[in-house]
Amino acid sequence: MKPSYFTLPVERFDLNLLPSEARNIGSAAFKTAVVAYFAEQYASKSQQAVVAVDDHDISVLVLPSDSDPLEFVMTMLQSGHIKEAVPYLETLAKASPDNVQVLYNLGIAYSELSQFDEAIIRLKRAVKLDPTHAHAWTGIGVAYQRMGKREQAIEPMQKAVEADPSDGYARRNLGAMLLGAGQYAEALEHLRAARRAIPHDPQALYGLASVLEAVGGEDNEEEADELYLVLIQKFPGAQVAEMAREARTKLAHKSMRSKVGGGLRPDVMMYLAGALETFAKVGPDKSRQITLEVAMKGQEGLDINDPAQKYTLKTLPGQFSGMQLVSIMYVGLKALDPNMDAGIDLSAEYEAAKAMQRA
């Protein structure tokens, strides 16, 4: 049997089907009698009816007699049919207004449909019934965050962590919110806890790297760089890997500049000058091949702070350091489009290298 669902305006219900003392629409006796009527009708067919009656409508969810109504709706949610599941959840919520799990899943469904006010109403009702429901507190915080109300989002996320300190996702979300609010020390504490709880979660890793970078200091920035590299290697095709690449490049550029007090790096100038000379010799087609290969290798992460010549290319003989490859790519990209953003600012060294070449 396929489950079904329908609603009926209360004024269209045939009152003659009810006992005479239960025909006053809106009364408690009316609602109880309507529920009993549908339950009896479907029970005779070996089916069960979950019935909810309010001042305007009668909602009826019909299932096989051996089905768990919430389990049926959860299957819909898990298969992505969120919008279709909401009426069923509403019926269950009306029929069992104190069922915390129904309220929680209804709230999350509304949040996924961007109906945040409706989501927060249901989720707050859930935590009122069960203040230890960490996931419901998390749902409230996420809904507020999606509404752009970051300050209001922090308190429910803190409640979620208090309810279940071992919940890595609650820790991760709270840490991200605190990071956005500039509360770096607290954010670092929660994001470290999140990494311990969910060590393979990319958002937890990225959040921890971000807060380490925000706190600053050589040790923290070195750890952040290692985390960014882990993300690039473990999740190469994901958006978070691209974000990690950009963050790692900026971090490396900052480190590069700090080592020379903000001035020019002679080694980078020599790498750029060498690349200019090589490209002039091999011509445009070969230059594009070299640039493309370096760019592809860069997707895996290049360590520009390590002077060791540990990289090789198929298009060029020899071994190269990470900074040397970045310099080669920079020259290649500038040859393709002088206005292209190469992801790292070597413009001062580039102009100096061109001046050296002209001289």
Side-chain angles (χ1 to χ4, degrees):
M1 171 212 161
K2 184 177 180 181
S4 62
Y5 169 81
F6 65 89
T7 59
L8 178 71
V10 292
E11 63 269 15
R12 290 183 56 189
F13 185 84
D14 186 355
L15 297 177
N16 294 317
L17 299 173
L18 304 179
S20 57
E21 68 274 13
R23 294 175 183 175
N24 183 16
I25 293 177
S27 67
F30 169 79
K31 294 178 181 179
T32 301
V34 169
V35 171
Y37 169 78
F38 280 107
E40 183 179 348
Q41 291 296 308
Y42 285 100
S44 65
K45 304 174 185 178
S46 300
Q47 297 171 345
Q48 64 171 317
V50 179
V51 186
V53 185
D54 58 27
D55 293 337
H56 305 286
D57 296 303
I58 301 168
S59 303
V60 183
L61 171 60
V62 182
L63 299 162
S65 59
D66 58 349
S67 294
D68 179 341
L70 181 56
E71 187 177 314
F72 159 70
V73 180
M74 288 300 297
T75 301
M76 294 182 68
L77 293 172
Q78 291 162 2
S79 61
H81 299 289
I82 297 172
K83 187 175 181 180
E84 295 86 345
V86 165
Y88 298 163
L89 283 166
E90 282 286 10
T91 298
L92 295 177
K94 290 174 183 176
S96 303
D98 294 337
N99 189 315
V100 174
Q101 281 304 102
V102 170
L103 290 168
Y104 166 70
N105 283 289
L106 180 56
I108 296 300
Y110 274 128
S111 185
E112 290 299 312
L113 295 172
S114 300
Q115 299 182 43
F116 302 120
D117 290 331
E118 297 292 335
I120 290 168
I121 289 170
R122 274 66 177 190
L123 291 167
K124 282 189 173 181
R125 195 180 301 161
V127 296
K128 185 176 181 180
L129 292 165
D130 180 7
T132 66
H133 200 300
H135 291 171
W137 282 117
T138 298
I140 295 170
V142 170
Y144 275 130
Q145 186 180 38
R146 289 175 175 176
M147 294 171 75
K149 298 180 178 180
R150 293 184 178 179
E151 291 183 2
Q152 287 179 259
I154 291 176
E155 183 180 355
M157 289 306 309
Q158 289 171 329
K159 294 279 189 183
V161 171
E162 290 170 10
D164 185 1
S166 66
D167 187 335
Y169 296 101
R171 292 273 198 176
R172 182 195 71 186
N173 290 336
L174 176 57
M177 291 175 187
L178 292 169
L179 174 59
Q183 300 178 40
Y184 300 142
E186 297 92 333
L188 182 57
E189 174 192 347
H190 291 294
L191 286 164
R192 282 205 184 281
R195 190 193 181 191
R196 289 194 294 271
I198 44 175
H200 304 296
D201 181 77
Q203 296 301 327
L205 294 175
Y206 185 80
L208 179 56
S210 298
V211 75
L212 285 165
E213 187 178 349
V215 171
E218 186 174 346
D219 290 343
N220 286 333
E221 290 179 355
E222 184 176 335
E223 185 180 353
D225 186 64
E226 291 172 358
L227 289 170
Y228 287 138
L229 184 57
V230 169
L231 285 166
I232 293 167
Q233 293 173 342
K234 283 192 172 183
F235 310 96
Q239 183 181 5
V240 71
E242 184 58 33
M243 293 164 62
R245 288 187 193 98
E246 293 177 4
R248 194 164 187 254
T249 299
K250 291 177 182 177
L251 194 59
H253 183 254
K254 175 184 174 184
S255 174
M256 181 189 78
R257 289 290 174 221
S258 67
K259 289 178 180 177
V260 292
L264 298 180
R265 273 188 54 164
D267 58 334
V268 174
M269 290 167 53
M270 296 305 297
Y271 293 149
L272 292 166
L276 285 165
E277 183 178 346
T278 296
F279 285 173
K281 288 180 180 178
V282 302
D285 290 342
K286 182 70 171 181
S287 298
R288 281 192 290 270
Q289 293 175 22
I290 296 169
T291 303
L292 178 60
E293 184 182 2
V294 177
M296 294 297 292
K297 193 173 287 288
Q299 295 295 306
E300 303 168 5
L302 294 172
D303 188 352
I304 69 173
N305 291 317
D306 186 352
Q309 294 180 323
K310 56 185 180 181
Y311 300 102
T312 59
L313 297 174
K314 294 178 181 178
T315 50
L316 274 180
Q319 292 184 305
F320 309 89
S321 68
M323 191 70 248
Q324 191 172 2
L325 288 183
V326 168
S327 301
I328 292 170
M329 183 176 67
Y330 190 92
V331 172
L333 294 176
K334 288 300 177 184
L336 291 171
D337 181 358
N339 297 316
M340 184 181 295
D341 181 4
I344 187 170
D345 184 9
L346 303 180
S347 56
E349 284 85 357
Y350 182 62
E351 294 301 322
K354 288 197 296 183
M356 287 170 55
Q357 191 181 48
R358 288 194 295 270

